[in-house]
Amino acid sequence: QSDAYAGYNTLAKPGRQPAPVVSAGCWAHGRRGLFKIAERDKAPLAIEAVGRIDAIFQAERTINGTPPEHRLAVRQTDIAPLVDDLFDWMRECCRRMSTKNPVAHAMNYFLRRADTFTRFLTDGRICLTNNAAERALRGIALGRKAWLFAGSDRGGERAAAMYSLIVTARLNDVDPQAWLADVLARINDIPNPRLHELLPWHWKAHQQVHNTIAA
């Protein structure tokens, strides 16, 4: 799930190995262009478009965090009609505007990619936006000058592996500092076939059992 950066297009090409990536549009990126015009120029059509998109966001908030099956069911009954109405209305608006009109240009960002922007309606696992992924990357982006200490491609690969492990710990509700300190103290004494025991989800289960026994 992403914005419309052209560099991602090759990922979805037929024949890509091991398989083409299925692309889903980010509604936050799509909304942004219309919101800027509505805020800056007070253009009525842009204001109405933002209002219609916000109604979709509001409907989506009611199912955030629920199982994919439930999200899909609600989307098909409650949200799909909002999306269909939005796209029909945008098409009608664009027929009455010059293609050079900024509002038409912002609407066409959606219309040219209708298949990717409606993909979330057919798969409950897909989010409306990729904001969560962008927030997760923000720490690395903000510190990118500090990451120059990696010094080489190999150093960069090792740093990427460490970032992945740290984020994995966080996703498993494990304190990365406590986990890394324990793993680094124990790793030399554990045979290779048992290294998987140090992965965050196994480590967390072991710590919970250990704490229960200690209590």
Side-chain angles (χ1 to χ4, degrees):
Q1 188 169 30
S2 67
D3 58 13
Y5 171 55
Y8 299 138
N9 293 345
T10 56
L11 298 175
K13 284 187 175 180
R16 178 184 178 273
Q17 296 299 323
V21 170
V22 176
S23 178
C26 172
W27 280 73
H29 281 97
R31 176 185 180 277
R32 193 169 299 158
L34 288 162
F35 180 81
K36 287 180 179 178
I37 298 171
E39 187 176 46
R40 182 188 65 226
D41 302 331
K42 311 301 181 188
L45 288 178
I47 292 171
E48 183 172 353
V50 170
R52 288 171 177 259
I53 293 170
D54 285 350
I56 294 170
F57 272 83
Q58 182 57 41
E60 188 69 18
R61 287 189 191 99
T62 66
I63 56 174
N64 281 347
T66 62
E69 297 78 12
H70 178 253
R71 284 160 53 136
L72 180 59
V74 173
R75 285 170 176 173
Q76 290 179 339
T77 57
D78 298 344
I79 300 179
L82 297 176
V83 174
D84 290 342
D85 287 346
L86 171 68
F87 276 78
D88 288 343
W89 174 78
M90 282 184 171
R91 291 187 187 98
E92 180 60 30
C93 289
C94 287
R95 277 195 285 267
R96 294 186 277 109
M97 288 188 287
S98 165
T99 56
K100 295 181 180 180
N101 186 303
V103 177
H105 181 76
M107 288 183 176
N108 276 319
Y109 183 93
F110 280 99
L111 297 176
R112 287 196 300 267
R113 304 169 182 87
D115 57 336
T116 63
F117 276 108
T118 57
R119 190 149 284 138
F120 80 105
L121 297 173
T122 60
D123 190 331
R125 298 170 300 173
I126 299 175
C127 295
L128 196 61
T129 76
N130 69 340
N131 287 345
E134 292 201 347
R135 283 194 298 270
L137 289 170
R138 189 167 294 154
I140 293 176
L142 290 174
R144 57 185 174 270
K145 290 185 179 178
W147 309 149
L148 295 175
F149 73 85
S152 66
D153 288 348
R154 189 173 181 184
E157 290 170 0
R158 288 176 176 172
M162 289 302 299
Y163 302 151
S164 298
L165 289 169
I166 290 169
V167 172
T168 300
R170 288 175 176 166
L171 288 173
N172 284 272
D173 198 25
V174 170
D175 178 359
Q177 186 173 358
W179 170 69
L180 278 172
D182 186 59
V183 167
L184 292 174
R186 295 169 51 200
I187 195 167
N188 285 338
D189 299 324
I190 294 184
N192 285 344
R194 293 179 52 200
L195 284 176
H196 66 279
E197 295 176 12
L198 298 179
L199 291 169
W201 51 91
H202 292 309
W203 183 88
K204 179 181 179 181
H206 179 270
Q207 291 296 109
Q208 289 172 340
V209 171
H210 179 74
N211 292 339
T212 300
I213 294 173

